[in-house]
Amino acid sequence: MQDDICTAARFYATRAGENTARLLRHRMQAFWPRTGNDRILGLGYTQPFLPLWAQPDGTPCISARMNTPVTREAPATAPEGVRDCVVAEDRLPFPDLSFDRVLLVHALEITDRPDALIRSVWKVMKDHGRLLLVVPNRAGWWAHSDGTPFGQGEPFSARQIARRLSQALLCAERHDGALFMPPPGAGYRRAGTLAENAGHMLLPQLGGVFVIEAVKDVYSGVPAATAPALIRAPRRIYEPG
């Protein structure tokens, strides 16, 4: 592994990483305040966030770390109620239609095959499933900071994300921004909270990351029914004999 790569595991073990995770959890919970007994898959690097929805009754809540230098490393133990594994993003080891909700963090910008990744997600989501996607904003500070996992890989614009989702038969229903404070100040808890509140009110499009909720566009892949052709009988012309 290259020494200059900031792995997600090492970042979230720092004070700045802990505060960053706290701010993102707050934003995620606004999208999904309750999940009931839904089966949840976290893909990329999602261990700091899945405890929001892990259930003590053993309902599946799976952290699937992608097999990349940024996301492969992990703490010695997974959070309580969360099962952990490492996967290849284009060959997810889960049956089709397995999960009610899928969370993607440190995933789409890291992979070399973003379209294959989103298509794999589409396959394992139930038809009524929901996707929550967190990606670095190309115009934000965090995408250009090598000292965080959000500065690794390829960031996106809002238009690029919308296009990729549409091509994968997913429809974005809600979107928001998060991480409005520059990365060097991420370790300051109070300042981060103030910046987050101000950013949402004043410049929501300039967050360090986009947070997008999408659902399956199941009807886009179904061809429209064609109307039957109406064939008229040839008109007979009366000719006097």
Side-chain angles (χ1 to χ4, degrees):
M1 181 182 295
Q2 302 175 16
D3 293 335
D4 59 346
I5 290 178
C6 178
T7 70
R10 276 184 279 163
F11 174 72
Y12 287 111
T14 66
R15 179 180 176 183
E18 290 176 356
N19 195 42
T20 300
R22 179 184 64 84
L23 295 173
L24 284 175
R25 283 195 298 266
H26 179 74
R27 186 53 37 207
M28 292 174 183
Q29 200 161 30
F31 280 83
W32 292 351
R34 293 174 300 277
T35 57
N37 293 323
D38 286 354
R39 299 167 61 95
I40 300 173
L41 171 67
L43 183 59
Y45 189 88
T46 57
Q47 284 198 15
F49 314 108
L50 289 179
L52 280 171
W53 308 293
Q55 300 292 330
D57 63 359
T59 300
C61 186
I62 298 175
S63 160
R65 289 178 286 115
M66 282 173 26
N67 191 20
T68 75
V70 177
T71 55
R72 187 183 304 120
E73 184 180 311
T77 58
E80 185 177 357
V82 176
R83 306 176 193 175
D84 185 65
C85 61
V86 177
V87 300
E89 63 267 32
D90 58 340
R91 296 188 302 276
L92 298 183
F94 310 110
D96 292 355
L97 307 176
S98 296
F99 297 97
D100 301 282
R101 297 177 190 254
V102 180
L103 173 68
L104 257 68
V105 189
H106 305 304
L108 196 62
E109 73 273 20
I110 302 299
T111 179
D112 293 328
R113 303 181 62 192
D115 294 325
L117 170 62
I118 299 179
R119 192 60 185 166
S120 295
V121 169
W122 195 94
K123 291 178 65 178
V124 300
M125 280 176 58
K126 295 182 180 179
D127 286 343
H128 64 268
R130 309 192 77 83
L131 167 67
L132 193 60
L133 174 65
V134 178
V135 292
N137 177 1
R138 182 182 294 277
W141 285 307
W142 289 74
H144 306 285
S145 173
D146 293 338
T148 82
F150 293 104
Q152 317 296 317
E154 185 71 22
F156 296 91
S157 67
R159 182 175 297 180
Q160 288 172 323
I161 291 296
R163 182 168 62 248
R164 287 193 182 278
L165 290 174
S166 177
Q167 290 171 347
L169 302 183
L170 290 162
C171 178
E173 285 198 337
R174 293 191 293 168
H175 62 88
D176 203 347
L179 301 185
F180 292 90
M181 190 171 188
Y188 299 97
R189 183 183 180 96
R190 180 174 175 80
T193 300
L194 292 174
E196 205 73 3
N197 293 336
H200 278 290
M201 290 188 295
L202 302 175
L203 296 168
Q205 74 279 10
L206 292 182
V209 299
F210 296 117
V211 185
I212 303 163
E213 185 180 32
V215 296
K216 278 189 172 182
D217 191 2
V218 293
Y219 298 106
S220 291
V222 180
T226 56
L230 180 61
I231 302 176
R232 296 179 180 273
R235 187 176 179 180
R236 298 183 62 185
I237 301 177
Y238 175 73
E239 297 179 357

